[in-house]
Amino acid sequence: MPVARPETSDSRIIAHVDMDCFYVQVEQRKQPHLKGQPTAVVQYNSWKGGGLIAVGYEARKDGVKRSMRGDEAKKVCPQIHLVQVPVARGKADLTIYRNAGSEVVSILARKGRCERASIDEVYLDLTDAAETMLKETPLETLESIDEEVLKSHVLGLSLNGNDDRETVREWLTRRDADHRDKLLACGAIIVAELRLQVLRETEFTCSAGVAHNKMLAKLASGMNKPAQQTIVTLASVKGLLEPLPIKKMKQLGGKLGSSLQTDLGVNTVGDLLQFSEQKLQDIYGANTGTWLWNTARGISGDEVEGRLLPKSHGSGKTFPGVQALKSVAAVEKWLKELCEELSERLQLDLETNKRVAHTLTLHANAYKSTDTDSLKKFPSKSCPLRYGAGKVLEDSVNLFQAALREFLGSYTNPVDGGWGVTNLSVSASKIVAAPSGTCSITRYFHGQDRFHASSEQSDKKFAPESDNLSPSRTESHSASHQTDCGEGQTQITPDTSSLDQYETACKDEAIESCLTSTHHEPQLRLSEKERNNNDGKRSYEQKRKATQEKVSSFCWDF
Ligand code: DCP
């Protein structure tokens, strides 16, 4: 559910930086002879030349699109170079792209608070840097301004096509400009410098949006690509938002956007402007109503989170068409691969960043052969995460079994046949700093194991006889946030470094909201002390029982 946050100050300077055709650039850096050549990266699946997941701008000029397969791209652009994503464990291995994204993040983080939003996009809060620049160097006194800044697109600024750079220079250095526009101008200068720095140090180009909040910066970053930046002045906000299709807005791609269309006849953001905040609150509740009212006006108080590392880790694969997994053994075989990869990444995160994840979630897409209820989603399931590939696998298999039982409406472990899994992924979320020091980390995990063991005991107590993993120790939520990468394969996870940045954002939000929407969850959380003392189990049991009464469909065993 969207959260309405008041704007803390309309003088914030926020940038959204998005890498251009990212995987292609990474491959071109690795193979320099591809630079300047029409290039695309294809999935690990040779069917019809593999699905395209990234298309370079030279190939786009010839009409190549991401929705094509390699064979079709070759027809449209015979000279195209198709590079296959690296492969490990029978699936795409995105490590080089993730690492390349980290290189960029470390440069962008030099000027302000930085939030890594996906494998190739970052938000920056440059308010302090812009204010400092403005204090130290009044813009009207600037003698030389870098070409990269002068190439900026300033929304709402009318250009006559003759000397656009001069017009932008005048806008940047206007003595009588509003303070907020002056800060934006400083933001544009800082972002241009950062983008040049990224180019120098990594060889990658990126595009950016500079605005007073995250929502507007994100909308702008993709407006002029590649290797350009767009500035959203306050005066341009209305014109920018009004024509946008409502379903294209972040958080409005799903049910809420559909309801606006069908129930209120709202198809563009401009259509939303006719509704008062009160009216929207009456229909959608106080929070969502206010959020919608704000969104229509370009108001968003979302903060840039200081986070250079991903919010979650995930590993997944699709099994299109005849490749669908039709037996528990086949699912287990793939879960083993996915859990090993996830576990390696968790271990690396622990060693490198001293972070631990708390929640393991299994997502899948599945069908029933005799499906009378084809709209029924395969439920996603979560449980506390235990470290170690074997444990992650064991828990994932249990989660899968529980989800499959629920999906098929079965009380016992379902038999093979009559169903197929087309998409499978495991993810680790709720990542927090680990207690410092190896010693306490070890203790942390021992505590975690004891905690887990006790939760299993209590499960048995609450679960139906035949249920190894009853809903009482799993969380169930809609799998609607899952991504199906079409007939290809590769990553389909809620990882911030997943394949599709938009999907990723949705997925992260969906998962976060599912995880946090269980209002009882904090009550179920055991403190470190509780976990380590003898009364821990009783305390946990008491909390669990108390909470179980309040929860009808599912509950956590935190
Ligand atoms: N990606 C993917 N599958 C998708 C979408 C994206 O594997 N369905 C990967 C490849 C992209 C990277 O994620 O290079 C970033 O995705 P973007 O949507 O940002 O697209 P690009 O960076 O490729 O291009 P653009 O310059 O349009 O942002």
Side-chain angles (χ1 to χ4, degrees):
M1 201 212 298
V3 179
R5 292 193 179 85
E7 275 277 8
T8 41
S9 132
D10 58 359
S11 303
R12 287 187 303 155
I13 299 301
I14 310 293
H16 179 256
V17 181
D18 187 16
M19 306 308 293
D20 303 317
C21 56
F22 189 46
Y23 289 12
V24 170
Q25 288 205 77
V26 175
E27 295 298 341
Q28 287 175 329
R29 183 174 72 168
K30 206 164 83 183
Q31 305 180 58
H33 69 276
L34 295 179
K35 282 199 177 166
Q37 301 289 320
T39 308
V41 175
V42 291
Q43 286 178 334
Y44 166 60
N45 176 350
S46 54
W47 186 67
K48 290 194 178 174
L52 269 53
I53 51 176
V55 181
Y57 281 83
E58 291 83 1
R60 291 188 204 192
K61 274 187 210 140
D62 287 346
V64 179
K65 297 199 167 59
R66 186 144 72 189
S67 54
M68 294 177 175
R69 302 202 73 90
D71 291 352
E72 197 184 349
K74 282 224 173 238
K75 274 191 203 138
V76 180
C77 173
Q79 65 282 24
I80 194 168
H81 297 268
L82 299 175
V83 184
Q84 191 191 273
V85 287
V87 174
R89 297 195 175 88
K91 58 184 281 300
D93 178 3
L94 307 182
T95 311
I96 54 162
Y97 309 124
R98 265 186 221 111
N99 291 347
S102 302
E103 283 178 52
V104 174
V105 169
S106 68
I107 297 165
L108 294 176
R110 290 174 191 162
K111 288 284 182 184
R113 198 173 338 128
C114 173
E115 174 183 329
R116 188 173 188 177
S118 83
I119 197 162
D120 80 329
E121 56 177 340
V122 158
Y123 287 101
L124 302 172
D125 188 332
L126 300 171
T127 312
D128 291 346
E131 272 169 0
T132 307
M133 176 185 273
L134 194 56
K135 259 186 224 136
E136 288 172 359
T137 330
L139 292 167
E140 54 271 21
T141 64
L142 281 183
E143 276 168 15
S144 76
I145 300 180
D146 196 281
E147 274 295 294
E148 198 56 42
V149 189
L150 297 177
K151 274 170 32 198
S152 299
H153 300 260
V154 183
L155 296 184
L157 186 66
S158 34
L159 302 174
N160 56 21
N162 287 340
D163 201 351
D164 293 350
R165 292 192 187 172
E166 202 40 49
T167 313
V168 172
R169 181 196 301 279
E170 278 165 21
W171 182 85
L172 290 164
T173 57
R174 271 178 316 157
R175 190 179 291 275
D176 60 348
D178 180 291
H179 178 71
R180 292 166 297 185
D181 276 352
K182 286 189 177 180
L183 283 177
L184 272 181
C186 293
I189 294 171
I190 296 165
V191 170
E193 267 170 24
L194 283 171
R195 290 180 37 244
L196 286 174
Q197 203 60 35
V198 168
L199 182 62
R200 276 193 287 272
E201 294 184 32
T202 67
E203 302 175 30
F204 300 143
T205 67
C206 54
S207 299
V210 186
H212 289 299
N213 64 44
K214 283 171 90 172
M215 173 173 70
L216 297 171
K218 164 112 188 175
L219 282 173
S221 64
M223 290 179 76
N224 295 288
K225 272 187 155 250
Q228 295 172 76
Q229 59 184 48
T230 306
I231 303 165
V232 187
T233 58
L234 273 182
S236 69
V237 172
K238 197 161 182 271
L240 167 68
L241 290 177
E242 267 185 357
L244 292 180
I246 200 80
K247 296 278 276 184
K248 292 272 175 215
M249 298 296 288
K250 200 173 169 200
Q251 313 219 52
L252 291 178
K255 284 185 187 157
L256 182 54
S258 300
S259 161
L260 287 168
Q261 283 182 317
T262 50
D263 302 330
L264 301 184
V266 167
N267 290 310
T268 63
V269 178
D271 294 340
L272 196 54
L273 287 171
Q274 61 185 294
F275 295 93
S276 68
E277 185 173 3
Q278 185 61 54
K279 176 84 181 159
L280 293 169
Q281 286 184 335
D282 290 347
I283 302 171
Y284 294 107
N287 176 57
T288 304
T290 297
W291 180 82
L292 286 168
W293 191 89
N294 285 344
T295 299
R297 287 156 184 81
I299 300 168
S300 165
D302 284 355
E303 296 277 339
V304 172
E305 291 168 31
R307 179 167 47 76
L308 306 187
L309 301 167
K311 232 174 167 172
S312 58
H313 298 293
S315 174
K317 185 171 165 70
T318 57
F319 305 93
V322 291
Q323 293 171 31
L325 307 177
K326 295 182 180 132
S327 68
V328 173
V331 169
E332 281 186 26
K333 175 188 163 285
W334 277 107
L335 277 179
K336 185 167 182 293
E337 303 292 343
L338 302 181
C339 291
E340 277 175 8
E341 188 199 344
L342 181 64
S343 213
E344 271 176 22
R345 287 173 53 199
L346 284 169
Q347 206 56 43
L348 189 68
D349 200 359
L350 174 60
E351 281 159 21
T352 319
N353 310 312
K354 306 279 180 281
R355 301 196 307 164
V356 288
H358 282 279
T359 301
L360 174 70
T361 303
L362 177 126
H363 313 280
N365 284 351
Y367 63 83
K368 288 181 239 175
S369 315
T370 51
D371 206 351
T372 46
D373 184 9
S374 59
L375 291 178
K376 188 169 175 187
K377 293 256 162 57
F378 194 89
S380 292
K381 295 277 178 191
S382 299
C383 70
L385 191 145
R386 297 186 296 154
Y387 273 65
K391 289 174 187 163
V392 175
L393 175 61
E394 186 187 328
D395 292 343
S396 299
V397 169
N398 284 338
L399 291 173
F400 175 76
Q401 293 270 18
L404 186 61
R405 278 196 300 276
E406 192 176 314
F407 181 64
L408 298 176
S410 153
Y411 290 103
T412 54
N413 274 350
V415 289
D416 295 344
W419 53 269
V421 168
T422 55
N423 177 329
L424 191 61
S425 72
V426 283
S427 66
S429 59
K430 297 238 163 155
I431 304 181
V432 297
S436 56
T438 317
C439 177
S440 54
I441 287 177
T442 312
R443 211 170 48 227
Y444 175 86
F445 287 127
H446 283 169
Q448 188 194 31
D449 264 356
R450 279 205 301 279
F451 166 47
H452 192 85
S454 76
S455 73
E456 277 180 340
Q457 283 165 17
S458 55
D459 284 333
K460 285 190 185 119
K461 196 167 166 187
F462 286 104
E465 241 177 22
S466 57
D467 219 353
N468 313 347
L469 191 75
S470 77
S472 67
R473 73 168 287 268
T474 61
E475 183 209 19
S476 170
H477 47 78
S478 160
S480 60
H481 53 274
Q482 291 170 29
T483 310
D484 188 338
C485 299
E487 300 206 322
Q489 25 201 312
T490 77
Q491 186 81 324
I492 17 70
T493 74
D495 187 354
T496 47
S497 48
S498 103
L499 298 184
D500 186 310
Q501 58 178 325
Y502 304 111
E503 296 281 358
T504 302
C506 297
K507 277 177 285 182
D508 269 340
E509 280 150 19
I511 286 173
E512 278 300 305
S513 68
C514 288
L515 296 178
T516 50
S517 67
T518 46
H519 57 276
H520 50 280
E521 186 234 322
Q523 293 158 288
L524 290 172
R525 218 175 256 289
L526 284 179
S527 69
E528 179 81 356
K529 194 171 151 210
E530 284 170 322
R531 266 182 257 149
N532 291 329
N533 84 26
N534 292 337
D535 286 332
K537 189 174 163 202
R538 197 177 50 213
S539 162
Y540 167 74
E541 286 285 344
Q542 283 163 352
K543 287 180 184 185
R544 185 185 168 90
K545 275 186 188 163
T547 310
Q548 184 136 22
E549 283 161 19
K550 293 186 208 155
V551 181
S552 51
S553 57
F554 51 77
C555 79
W556 283 78
D557 65 348
F558 280 84

